[in-house]
Amino acid sequence: MTTGADSAPAFDAQALISSLPHLPGVYRMLNARGEVLYVGKARDLKKRVSSYFQKTGQSPRIELMLTQVAVVETTVTRSEAEALILENNLIKSLAPRYNILFRDDKSYPYLMLSGHAYPRLGFHRGALDGRHRYFGPFPHTGAVRESIQLLQKIFRLRTCEDSVFQNRSRPCLLHQIRRCSAPCVGLIDHDSYAADARNAELFLQGREDDVLQALGRKMQQAADLQHYEQAAFYRDQIQALATTQQKQYAESSTGGDADVIACAEAGGAACVNLVMVRQGRQLGDKSFFPHNAEGRTAPEVLQAFLAQHYLNRQVPAVIVAGAEFDAQEIEAGLALQAGHSVQLVTRTQGQRRAWLEMAQKNAELALGQRLSHASNQEARLAALRDALGLPDTVQRIECFDISHTQGEATVASCVVYDRFDMRNSEYRRYNITGIQAGDDYAAMRSVLQRRYEKISRGEGMVPDLILIDGGKGQVNVAREVLAELGMNDIFLFGVAKGEERKPGLEQLICADAKSSVQLTRDNPGLHLIQAIRDEAHRFAITGHRARRGKARVTSSLEGISGIGAKRRKELLARFGGLRGVIGASIDDLAQVQGISRKLAEKIYLELH
């Protein structure tokens, strides 16, 4: 059930309160423009909403918000747990300015052990496939890759894609450096490889002692049979595994899965550190920095994190939190979402206390680094304003770059610097078409028109300063485009590479393209421009290479008569890309559905 109050010149709080029920639900506070200011949940909507308008001595943040409220909408739910889930779904989708907001990162990565006859170790992100086994989740990709490298070293499992595995005729470099047992060319039998895969699985499940015992038995058997080289191999595996076991910190004698969460506050900012423990083994940690957390307490920040972070994610059976608050409500909401009971621990001892102290230290260190970075960035921006004579209001900077190879696959990039940091989520790439190959001026005109036509209509934030990676010609184009769109009040500079393209010799071309400024090599403002320009270049060239590679793959096969879209797709899927197709023999090509022996010979000759 949903109720609401119509927009009016003066907000009538008493009329709203009288209409609210004594039921659990979610309320949304909106301003006169219909923008959501705040989303909250309540065990009793009438009591909770009325408390905003009847209490005195509210915090300055709440008082400021209430002066902007024009409408309050409510949604009734069946329980407080349902209200918690709805509240945080709305916070994620609406991003209200007065709610604590945590960035919605990508799904967490897993380590995969495939279900093939010769299982493959791999990195996985996304939906889980029942044919394979997955371990994790891990807090970041680096933790997965470190685990893969460790397992390669100890158990020598393959990591190559199927298209490579099926077409090898000799061992690869990984075999030569003792990171793979080369099942692709039969240097290890199926049973031995299966045993290694099983031991790797036991290791990932936290059962290192079982693995050590199995390897010890094999080493003794090999020694009894005087197979000393094989015995030495097992000995090396045991030593590597034992060393890893000694280095592993935060290992629990009871095993099990848990997330450990701590919060640090300083300088008006907050940091939440999440340590993931799976099967009693710490997989790593990740730090989160919420928006709109100024003036909030650690319990408030942690409750917001718990409610938002686990939406549409796996929830472990145990969550250890580094602040005391009423955990019953959040436990119920998480259990309802996860489909199993969840224990939220706020008072710790023993092993859990050690985990929590580690997470707290991680949060404090990450926050300290963040504040130091922000202070440095603030000094850089201040130096840039002084050097270029810009007002103190200049804060948001957008930078453009063009990338192509002799006019092929032209891509333009726009990167954004705001609030003393690069804003990756606001980066944009633009594929440039319909211009003469290699015409950088036309490409710059195209991207600026596409970018700022929308902004001139109110669809996006207006930058305070625009940087163009280029010289006078590009600056003239940018000035013309901005004039056509009526956006002449934006500061504009070109960043022209210096003599021999050496860093520190850049010329800053002014908007009139008739004068330039050269900052000293040690000027912090120049360092900021270089960082933003380099990021724009990186983002453009990454997009260009991807577009060029895709075009070349398509064009190489499109040039062969008899290969249509369907057969091209079959070939690329079978061999994992153009490189795999080129490396395939005629017999291999002929095994693809729809490819006859004659056509396979034709493809082979064309590609070679």
Side-chain angles (χ1 to χ4, degrees):
M1 180 180 81
T2 302
T3 65
D6 293 331
S7 180
F11 176 60
D12 189 345
Q14 294 306 316
L16 168 75
I17 293 168
S18 64
S19 68
L20 293 177
H22 290 285
L23 293 171
V26 173
Y27 57 92
R28 299 173 293 284
M29 296 185 175
L30 291 74
N31 63 17
R33 295 190 299 275
E35 299 169 340
V36 179
L37 301 172
Y38 185 79
V39 174
K41 60 162 178 45
R43 183 177 304 166
D44 184 313
L45 281 170
K46 193 179 190 75
K47 289 182 180 179
R48 184 70 185 97
V49 175
S50 63
S51 69
Y52 284 97
F53 303 100
Q54 294 172 354
K55 277 185 179 179
T56 57
Q58 300 270 24
S59 69
R61 180 183 61 84
I62 296 295
E63 288 181 355
L64 177 61
M65 179 185 75
L66 293 177
T67 63
Q68 303 171 54
V69 174
V71 178
V72 176
E73 297 177 344
T74 62
T75 301
V76 171
T77 60
R78 293 179 298 178
S79 67
E80 195 175 0
E82 283 189 0
L84 177 70
I85 295 172
L86 175 58
E87 175 199 27
N88 287 284
N89 272 313
L90 291 173
I91 290 172
K92 289 271 187 175
S93 60
L94 300 174
R97 70 177 68 176
Y98 288 96
N99 281 95
I100 300 174
L101 301 176
F102 284 90
R103 181 183 170 192
D104 189 11
D105 281 352
K106 298 175 182 176
S107 59
Y108 284 117
Y110 287 81
L111 189 153
M112 179 195 72
L113 194 60
S114 72
H116 296 100
Y118 291 93
R120 177 177 75 88
L121 275 175
F123 172 94
H124 179 83
R125 195 195 293 274
L128 305 186
D129 187 334
R131 296 173 298 176
H132 310 307
R133 287 154 289 175
Y134 299 93
F135 303 90
F138 288 76
H140 48 77
T141 59
V144 181
R145 303 201 190 286
E146 286 176 10
S147 296
I148 289 175
Q149 290 172 4
L150 174 64
L151 291 170
Q152 281 182 294
K153 181 178 180 181
I154 298 175
F155 302 109
R156 303 188 184 184
L157 300 183
R158 74 179 181 97
T159 56
C160 56
E161 296 289 345
D162 293 343
S163 58
V164 175
F165 178 77
Q166 293 164 1
N167 291 284
R168 293 294 306 181
S169 58
R170 58 180 182 176
C172 66
L173 178 63
L174 286 174
H175 174 72
Q176 297 175 34
I177 62 173
R178 296 176 175 268
R179 293 295 183 271
C180 180
S181 53
C184 54
V185 292
L187 295 188
I188 184 172
D189 62 81
H190 179 271
D191 291 342
S192 298
Y193 189 89
D196 287 338
R198 175 60 181 162
N199 284 335
E201 186 174 358
L202 291 173
F203 175 80
L204 290 167
Q205 291 173 348
R207 297 167 59 184
E208 295 95 333
D209 290 341
D210 292 348
V211 179
L212 287 170
Q213 290 174 10
L215 292 176
R217 287 194 298 270
K218 287 186 176 183
M219 181 180 70
Q220 188 59 52
Q221 289 170 3
D224 292 343
L225 295 172
Q226 298 185 357
H227 297 163
Y228 298 119
E229 187 174 341
Q230 189 67 22
F233 169 72
Y234 290 129
R235 179 205 61 202
D236 293 343
Q237 278 190 308
I238 291 170
Q239 289 177 349
L241 190 57
T243 302
T244 302
Q245 195 175 28
Q246 291 167 6
K247 288 181 178 179
Q248 177 61 38
Y249 177 69
E251 186 164 353
S252 168
S253 58
T254 57
D257 295 350
D259 280 355
V260 185
I261 304 165
C263 177
E265 305 162 275
C271 173
V272 172
N273 184 260
L274 167 66
V275 175
M276 289 183 169
V277 179
R278 297 295 181 268
Q279 301 295 334
R281 180 179 296 279
Q282 182 202 342
L283 299 185
D285 72 292
K286 187 171 184 177
S287 294
F288 300 82
F289 299 92
H291 297 295
N292 307 334
E294 297 84 355
R296 306 298 186 94
T297 64
E300 288 178 312
V301 173
L302 284 176
Q303 287 181 78
F305 177 82
L306 288 166
Q308 293 177 35
H309 179 75
Y310 291 105
L311 281 175
N312 305 317
R313 284 199 178 103
Q314 278 192 339
V315 185
V318 177
I319 299 175
V320 180
E324 291 191 25
F325 50 83
D326 184 4
Q328 223 172 10
E329 174 188 317
I330 294 179
E331 273 186 348
L334 292 176
L336 180 64
Q337 178 189 314
H340 60 75
S341 62
V342 176
Q343 182 187 9
L344 184 51
V345 181
T346 57
R347 297 182 180 180
T348 59
Q349 58 184 357
Q351 183 63 60
R352 289 175 177 174
R353 180 178 290 278
W355 285 341
L356 190 56
E357 288 173 353
M358 179 174 56
Q360 185 66 40
K361 188 64 176 177
N362 289 340
E364 291 168 0
L365 290 171
L367 183 58
Q369 292 171 356
R370 178 91 165 192
L371 292 174
S372 175
H373 173 75
S375 175
N376 185 41
Q377 291 298 313
E378 192 170 356
R380 284 183 168 189
L381 184 56
L384 179 62
R385 292 173 185 146
D386 291 342
L388 300 182
L390 303 174
D392 292 342
T393 54
V394 170
Q395 181 141 332
R396 182 181 177 88
I397 303 172
E398 295 190 355
C399 182
F400 295 84
D401 188 25
I402 307 293
S403 181
H404 59 80
T405 302
Q406 297 181 337
E408 178 189 4
T410 303
V411 171
S413 71
C414 172
V415 301
V416 178
Y417 177 90
D418 195 10
R419 300 188 298 278
F420 310 118
D421 207 353
M422 302 304 299
R423 299 292 160 186
N424 304 61
S425 62
E426 298 184 51
Y427 289 10
R428 294 293 181 270
R429 287 194 187 100
Y430 300 84
N431 290 334
I432 306 299
T433 58
I435 65 169
Q436 184 177 349
D439 189 344
D440 286 352
Y441 296 161
M444 186 61 71
R445 175 177 292 277
S446 174
V447 64
L448 292 173
Q449 285 176 335
R450 290 161 64 181
R451 175 73 175 175
Y452 293 119
E453 272 180 353
K454 288 184 177 180
I455 291 179
S456 67
R457 297 195 300 266
E459 301 176 18
M461 294 183 65
V462 179
D464 303 311
L465 169 64
I466 296 174
L467 298 177
I468 304 295
D469 187 11
K472 294 181 180 179
Q474 284 90 342
V475 171
N476 278 329
V477 168
R479 185 183 58 182
E480 291 170 7
V481 171
L482 294 175
E484 291 167 4
L485 297 172
M487 301 175 70
N488 293 318
D489 56 342
I490 301 176
F491 295 100
L492 172 67
F493 284 88
V495 185
K497 296 177 178 65
E499 183 182 350
E500 297 181 1
R501 306 172 72 90
K502 290 182 179 178
L505 300 179
E506 290 87 351
Q507 293 281 336
L508 303 181
I509 311 299
C510 300
D512 58 10
K514 295 178 181 178
S515 58
S516 63
V517 178
Q518 185 170 5
L519 306 183
T520 59
R521 287 174 180 262
D522 61 351
N523 189 299
L526 177 62
H527 300 162
L528 176 60
I529 287 177
Q530 290 171 333
I532 297 172
R533 186 270 319 274
D534 291 347
E535 178 67 353
H537 180 67
R538 179 201 66 78
F539 195 57
I541 201 167
T542 302
H544 159 65
R545 286 172 176 167
R547 187 182 177 199
R548 182 187 63 188
K550 184 177 179 181
R552 289 182 177 179
V553 165
T554 305
S555 61
S556 296
L557 293 176
E558 279 182 346
I560 304 173
S561 61
I563 301 296
K566 185 175 180 181
R567 285 174 175 166
R568 187 165 60 248
K569 184 178 179 181
E570 290 281 352
L571 284 165
L572 294 173
R574 172 65 180 273
F575 298 106
L578 183 61
R579 184 175 295 180
V581 177
I582 293 173
S585 66
I586 294 175
D587 290 336
D588 293 333
L589 293 169
Q591 293 176 13
V592 177
Q593 184 178 0
I595 305 294
S596 65
R597 175 79 184 183
K598 184 176 180 181
L599 184 54
E601 292 175 353
K602 184 176 182 180
I603 294 170
Y604 186 87
L605 290 173
E606 289 282 350
L607 293 178
H608 294 81

